[in-house]
Amino acid sequence: MKRYSAFAVAREALRYNTGWGRAWRSPEPKKHYDVIIVGAGGHGLATAYYLGKNFGITNVAIIEKGWLGGGNTGRNTTIIRSNYLQDPSAAIYEKARSLYEDMSQDLNYNVMFSPRGVIMLAQTEHEVRGYKRTAHANALQGVPTEWITPARVKELVPIINLAGPRYPVLGGLWQERGGTARHDAVAWGYARACSDMGMDIIQKCEVTGVRRDGDRVVGVDTTKGAIDCNKIGMVVAGNCSALSDMAGFRLPVESVALQALVSEPIKPCMDVVVMANTVHGYMSQSDKGEMVIGGGTDAFNNYTQRGSFHHIEETVRALVETFPMVSRLKMLRQWGGIVDVTGDRSPIISATPVEGCFVNCGWGTGGFKAIPGSGWAMAELMAKGTAPLAEEFSMTRFREGKFIDESVAAGVAH
Amino acid sequence: MSDPVSALNGKTYSGSATVTENGLCGMIVLRGTFTDTVFQQAVRDIVGCDVPDIRKLVRSEIGSAAWMSPDELLLLVDYSQTEAKLSALRLALAGTHFMAENVSDARACFTVTGAAGREVLAKIAPVDLSPVVFKSGDFRRTRFAQIAAAFWLDEADTFHIICFRSVAEYMFNLLKTSAHPNAGVGVY
Amino acid sequence: MSTRLATRGRLIDRSKPIEFTFNGTSLRGFEGDTLASALLANDQMLVGRSFKYHRPRGIVAAGSEEPNALVGLGSNRRYEPNQRATTTEIFEGLTATSQNHWPSLEFDVGEINSKLFSRFLSAGFYYKMFMHPKPFWKHVYEPFIRHSAGLGKAPDKELQDADTYEHFYFYCDVLIVGGGVAGLQAAKTAASSGAKVLLIEEKNYWGGRTPVDGGTIEGDDAQDWVTKTVAELEAMENVILRSRCMGAGVYDHGYILGYERLTDHAPDMAGPRHRLWRIRATQTITATGAIERPLSFAGNDVPGVMLAGSMRDYIANWGVLPGQRVVVATNNDDAYRTALALHHAGADVVRVVDAREEGGGKLAEEVRGLGIRIDNGRAIAKVKDGKRVTKVAICPQNGTGGAREEIAADAVAMSGGWSPVVHLWSHCGGKLTWDAEQAHFKPDPLRAPTGADGKAFVVTAGSSSGPMDLKSVMANAAKAGINATQAVGRTAVDAGEIKTSVISEAPMLPVWLMPANADIELRMKTWLDYQNDVKVSDVQLAAQEGYESVEHTKRYTTLGMATDQGKLSNINGLAILADSLGAEIPQVGTTTFRPPYHPISMGAIGGEARGEIFQPLRKTPMYAWHDDNGADWEPVGHWRRPYAYVQDGETVDQAVNREVKNTRENLGLLDASTLGKLIVKGPDAGKFLDMLYTNMMSTLKIGKCRYGLMCSENGFLSDDGVVARIDEDTWLCHTTTGGADHIHAQMEEWLQTEWWDWKVYVTNATEQLAQVAVVGPNARKVLEKLNATAGGGLDLSAEALGFMEWADGKIGGFDARAYRISFSGELSYEIAVPASQGLAFWEALVEAGQEFGAMPYGTECLHILRAEKGFIMIGDETDGTVIPQDLGLHWALSKKKTDYLGKRAHSRSHMADPDRWKLVGLETLDGAVLPDGAYAVGEGVNANGQQNTIGRVTSTYYSANLERGIAMGLVKHGPDRMGEVIDFPGLDGKIYQAKIVDPVFYDKEGEKQNV
Amino acid sequence: MLILECPYCGVKAEESELSAGGEAHLTRFGPGSSDDEFHDYLFVRENPKGVHFERWRHANGCGKWFHAARCTMTLEVFGTYSAQTTEPPQEIKDVITAKRPGWSWRNVSDETNTEGQRT
Ligand SMILES: Cc1cc2nc3c(=O)[nH]c(=O)nc-3n(C[C@H](O)[C@H](O)[C@H](O)COP(=O)(O)OP(=O)(O)OC[C@H]3O[C@@H](n4cnc5c(N)ncnc54)[C@H](O)[C@@H]3O)c2cc1C
Ligand SMILES: NC(=O)c1ccc[n+]([C@@H]2O[C@H](COP(=O)([O-])OP(=O)(O)OC[C@H]3O[C@@H](n4cnc5c(N)ncnc54)[C@H](O)[C@@H]3O)[C@@H](O)[C@H]2O)c1
Ligand SMILES: Cc1cc2nc3c(=O)[nH]c(=O)nc-3n(C[C@H](O)[C@H](O)[C@H](O)COP(=O)(O)O)c2cc1C
Ligand SMILES: [Zn+2]
């Protein structure tokens, strides 16, 4: 595979780019793989990548019903942060964040990780206390975050209206090393690297059944025929209930629509990511210039990738209040994704009642930031049977009552 | 005891329609079994009308009754008589399973009058307000922008709106904004 | 040279000249002009710079599909970036500035991207570079990329929008989107059934393209037919027409957004700027017309190259002739109409370049008859680069671009055929089918979007259905009207055949690249997406690199992602992609159409909700008094409560400390009206409350109160409050402020969905009553004084009203209910009066209390007083993960009851775990206040390398009464470790050492409240 | 933006007047139930692609809870019905069978006439 570099780009430019090969191959499936990953979203691809990179397991197929990266990975607001309250969350998100820092170099694909900083605004006393608590927790978790004053907020976000007037900004939790990344590039970069290791990415191929021998998994049925394997990793986000049904177990997950929208592009006006949870709005500006805005989730099961307009209304209303200049911008496009939400709104990275079958799901509204960390942990779990980062995210926690609840510190999950 | 005051003390605004906070109105929440004849008689005795049909408000000389839900009515009476009527009601229904509570002070009442009334409401309530659909005597619970509200239309084409007392000012400002003199829609 | 004609211009009023400025230069137009037509009338061909290469760009289209002519409009509080010149009506004083260039539109340094680097900036180049050295991305590359991208400049950061916005809910049987002849016909047909019809049109005029294209309908000239039909519709009671109102999006269950622009054309007009119509229509007819496709040839983005249909729009609608020497390039007959229009308006049509070997039909003959030269089977090889068209090179279509003939020209009219506007059809799942004859995607009526009843709710009409000739357009529209009407259960009058003029047209020829085998040099200059600078070579590269899915190509090249959403580029782009993949176009498919059809203002989406009606603000009856008396407000849900009452010269902290001391020493008054008050009544009420509360409520005696806890089914503590038994079958439950609505809803939920056979009614009486906590050693005195002075017989003595009892009666003339309960550990009464008298009662207390040192106190003082007593607070000691056992509240968990919400959950292994953190008091060794939210550190690190923790602070305050910091926290094995000292690292770098103590800090024996 | 007709007050309410309440026909498990039963009661949901039964409340309206049968793939509403029932009524099942032959949900399907066995 050709290495990407400024030099290569220049050389190719001179010969009209005729020398660029495919970023990933498009092979026909083989009869058997050691591991099949179902779902070529960020988490599936990252799992495959670290199976290869960390454990030398490369006889792997990644099976995708649509186009790789076309699920939630291709439709999220790209916020990356690790200032979570609970230890298990902070551990895996911080692992992910630190992997993001080197991802472009590691994959030789510029994923444009932009550590521009994330502010979570505190606009009620309750939030102030919640975020101070998080800051204390983060300090002990090795996640550098900072409680900042309103004046500092204004410095970082000149377009904000500190005075409210309804919910004056009382401060904020600032993670300087948080930021955004180019979401599609994350999927493409992993895909290219996986393909390069000899893994097969099989697109437009839907898994329609999970084949078992007793309690053990032996393969999958797909729209391109049956494929054998020793282990399966189900990494299909909003479709995880359908997949677990095929394997014969149930998951504590519901699939709901989450929406986002972008404004028309404008010149740079906001250099950090801002999350305003009291009024339900978050926003960042992409490198192209659009304001990227996250909306709310519907409360009913839905597989249409569309959501209800009143969530868009609620979000925009909040942002107009928080950033008055937004009022005279225009919405360019809105869309939805189907997110998989668990009982405690934290993910599942877990072995399942079916031997050889592993599941990674439940990232809900906030799993983009976790992609490398989750792939890392999932690969370790699949290769070795246990992984410290995944330990607490087992699906058995619901039975024990051992939840990982992040909402407690006034936080949301994005 | 001092004079009771309503949330906005009769505040009013005139734009494309006239919005008025109506002062205090006697209101009794009555829950019970509509089909029970004792219940029906009690309603008749207190407000002088029959149990209203679904989504209707019925009126008499002495009061009105509005359909709130399959087991809940809102009885409207003269404010000063609320406690007396409540006692009478409780007496009449004693022995049955019911609930009657005075909620007069928990609410604020508004009227919207003028030809633009339908449009003023249609800007904030997800309800079909066209004259062929929403008629006098119709009673509807819904939301007005971000709060819960109930409203009905009387014979004089006046809209009556009820919301919680704590959000009276929000309601007033909402209606006022909606009734901006230069914001007529021109469809009704 | 683009000029204003002396005649023509059906939409302008030459008697009404208008002055406006473009980049500071004053220009003139007429009423009825769009900014685009007025600019062209002033020969302003160059209007902007492209996104990536900063190429000079001119106006290509005449409607909302325009990709280039975006300007910054207005100033200060009315400035708006990225406004389309083609959809902006001019008005006196309009100021427009072009975008995305530095230092000026004419001389843009960024153009270097195009001149020198364009070949390096091919699709996806940034994924392949800028990776080294690593810090450069954040500090060098990214800032550079961001600054060169982004189009218009942002509105001022400090200025509030000068305009207002609103919503409007509207319901109809049939909604018709698009007021061209098709929309009008569909509306007329639907209206004939008596159905309620709404017809919306985004432009400020009716009739769409037909009056420009010409033809007759029912014997009338198109324009006359339009005028007549509009008048007819306007006269009908069941029809409403709105122009300047765009169908913005189609959503589930027949929900459609209409975006009405009320004052954009006259910003000084009073009233809202935009109105967002939230339409619920049983059937929606989209009669949105068709959009012309550009042709893909090198230099097709040079200012002066325009869509053929748009060029004749400028001539006919606004009397503007965009060029004097014009080349017309086409693959279909329609462009000959432009040649005719140009010729008749006095322009020199220097050549018609028709890619079809066979050439055109009747219209072509007419053109040829005028002496205009037509070249069949030929193509534009290249338009010479520059700020406007100067030369056009022509070559055979079936070639690589060689054998060129160069001709001088100042404009090019191009037509690649027409594509139906299928956006609204597609938003909610309507599917498309490929029409090979016309080379476009059109709606597949068999796969329409379906609504709540599972039936189709969108019908298309006119050219948005596919047919392009007037006759079929009208027939299709009438049929659409009939179908939609049928679907709403009515019968329309079938007007039968609608007579129109007919001009037979020769078949078009799909042409996706000009010339067909253009070499790479040309393809690198052939634009697909003008605004995002995506060229034919970019799409081909994407395919070559394996970004084969149309969605990958879109995202890799950004094709169709600009503010025009690819209205001109999408079909051409995917045809190139299909060709590169050796696939058929329908196999490649389109990308997803998403709302809005065309960008809509955020202001309109937010609607009226700004300023004081941004959100409801809940106020207690005493709100104004608090505000007048120094309240420092704290938002609590939608309520606002006084945090403290700040007196002159005080800080907020000082005010809190004063209140804390005064309440313990004299008398404090708290507005507790926000606390939830739920009345629960019925023969099964006791049984019901026993399920909801962890402790026993059914055994409570009439006249008594009991503190109760509620858990979720999941076992977590969710609310608490004092419950009073009112009579045999009535209880009154106090909830937290935040809990009132939500506990009420929860009660209804259990009653309606689980225990529906239980006889219980609930009413939320929270707002019926104003409630005041009268707290402190002088509490009884002030109430007795009120009784003595203003009359009232309620006996409040310790004997008559004991602790945890309540009584009804008159206090100081007010109808009141007094509860003897205490959340402060002081002698305390909570007194409820009707809300209508809340303020009067409060004022009476303040006045009577003067001699007893009465002062109001706020929420912070409330918190401190309860913390001094070790009382837990929902939301402080609890956070949704805490169970009553953690807080030492075992006493409130009934052992007698076999079931209550949360009971089963508590027996799960993790909840029974002896290692759970438990509530204790914490006292710093030095008296300092522990930092809020601090964690206590344990030994070592966990498996993930994180410092182990053994506890955390849940509430922490400075106690003015004890003159030291006090805190509560949850600590592992805490209650067994009394006296131990543990470490809490602060964010300030200091380690706070705290001793584990009993959580009751003040009046441990509880003597004060029992007097 | 869904519309559901409230079976109590007949209002064709738009989603903003309603609140969604998750899966319908759950059996409450309390003290004495097994860990599995309790876990499934609280957490395990059908989350089907297709026919689904769920709970809604006419929150900005009559305040009543009701049930709805809906398709999660098309958002088609097959019908709404009383909250005071432990299984979908036969009329609703018939409507679904006509539109989605072969459907099933938990142990309810187009063939069976279960007594609303709740899992
Ligand atoms: C609007 C929105 C905003 C968001 N914002 C953020 C944010 O700011 N920050 C953040 O961290 N997270 C955010 N998220 C969440 C984040 O996008 C997801 O958690 C994450 O992308 C999930 O990645 P994934 O790989 O698990 O799933 P996906 O990317 O959805 O991938 C799953 C893949 O599985 C495939 N698949 C499904 N079924 C089958 C089958 N039967 N056979 C084969 N393949 C199958 C799907 O086609 C899909 O490609 C947001 C999500 C949305 C929708
Ligand atoms: N011969 C050809 O090649 C050719 C090609 C195209 C069109 N035509 C002619 O054009 C005419 C087509 O008539 P028609 O009525 O179908 O289309 P039209 O283009 O004339 O009218 C469509 C109308 O819909 C409006 N519109 C589009 N999207 C909208 C939205 N989202 N919201 C509100 N309004 C919106 C447009 O502003 C326009 O006024 C016929 O005369 C036809 O012959 C001919
Ligand atoms: C971070 C981010 C930025 C986006 N920016 C744009 C944009 O500038 N223009 C655009 O048309 N779409 C943009 N989109 C939206 C995509 O076009 C698309 O709607 C989204 O990926 C969902 O896919 P779908 O609409 O094809 O279902 C953006 C999406 C994301 C996640
Ligand atoms: Zn209802």
Side-chain angles (χ1 to χ4, degrees), chain C residues 293-338:
Chain C
R293 296 190 294 264
L295 284 167
S296 301
F297 51 80
N300 60 351
D301 69 328
V302 175
V305 178
M306 218 180 251
L307 293 172
S310 301
M311 201 176 270
R312 65 179 188 270
D313 285 344
Y314 283 109
I315 296 170
N317 286 338
W318 298 287
V320 169
L321 187 60
Q324 308 304 316
R325 292 174 55 79
V326 188
V327 172
V328 176
T330 186
N331 64 350
N332 66 77
D333 270 17
D334 185 55
Y336 286 92
R337 291 193 175 89
T338 301

Side-chain angles (χ1 to χ4, degrees), chain C residues 177-182 200-203 208-210 213 245-247 287-289 334 337 418 424 462-463 468-470 473 505 597:
Chain C
V177 184
V181 292
I200 60 176
E201 161 60 50
E202 65 172 331
K203 301 201 167 96
R209 327 204 16 88
T210 314
D213 292 356
C245 186
M246 173 181 76
T288 45
D334 185 55
R337 291 193 175 89
W418 293 75
L424 296 180
S463 55
M468 292 296 155
D469 67 285
L470 188 53
V473 161
E505 296 186 16
Y597 172 59

Side-chain angles (χ1 to χ4, degrees), chain A residues 67 69-78 181-184 260-265 284 286 288-293 304-305 332-337, chain C residues 51 532 551 554-555 558-566 590-594:
Chain A
W67 38 286
N72 293 335
T73 302
R75 53 190 70 243
N76 74 91
T77 48
T78 81
R182 175 83 180 88
H183 54 288
D184 294 319
L261 64 135
V262 287
S263 75
E264 293 184 330
S284 65
S286 82
K288 254 177 79 217
E290 325 90 72
M291 306 311 291
V292 178
I293 294 170
T304 62
Q305 291 196 343
L332 168 61
R333 188 175 170 101
Q334 62 166 104
W335 65 92
Chain C
F51 199 82
N532 268 355
E551 299 286 4
K554 161 183 157 176
R555 288 157 173 82
T558 73
L559 177 84
M561 297 180 80
T563 70
D564 59 315
Q565 291 285 288
T590 64
T591 54
T592 305
F593 293 88
R594 294 278 191 185

Side-chain angles (χ1 to χ4, degrees), chain A residues 16 20 22-23 68 102 105 109-110 114 129 133 167 265-267 287 306 313 327-328 331 333-334, chain C residues 82 100 127 131 134 142 149-150 152 161 163 251-252 278 521 544-545 547 552 600 615 876 879:
Chain A
Y16 302 108
W20 292 122
R22 301 178 63 95
L68 70 87
D102 297 316
Q105 291 73 24
Y109 200 102
N110 189 353
S114 171
R129 298 199 4 261
R133 176 176 165 195
Y167 296 105
I266 46 173
K267 291 292 176 196
D287 286 347
R306 298 187 299 266
E313 179 193 335
S327 181
R328 289 193 89 88
M331 170 168 83
R333 188 175 170 101
Q334 62 166 104
Chain C
N82 304 335
N100 204 33
Y127 302 121
M131 285 177 270
K134 198 174 92 180
E142 189 183 36
D161 189 341
D163 287 305
Y251 300 82
D252 288 300
R278 315 173 77 163
E521 286 281 0
Q544 172 190 331
E545 292 190 274
Y547 298 87
H552 282 153
I600 63 176
Q615 267 185 3
D876 287 359
D879 63 3

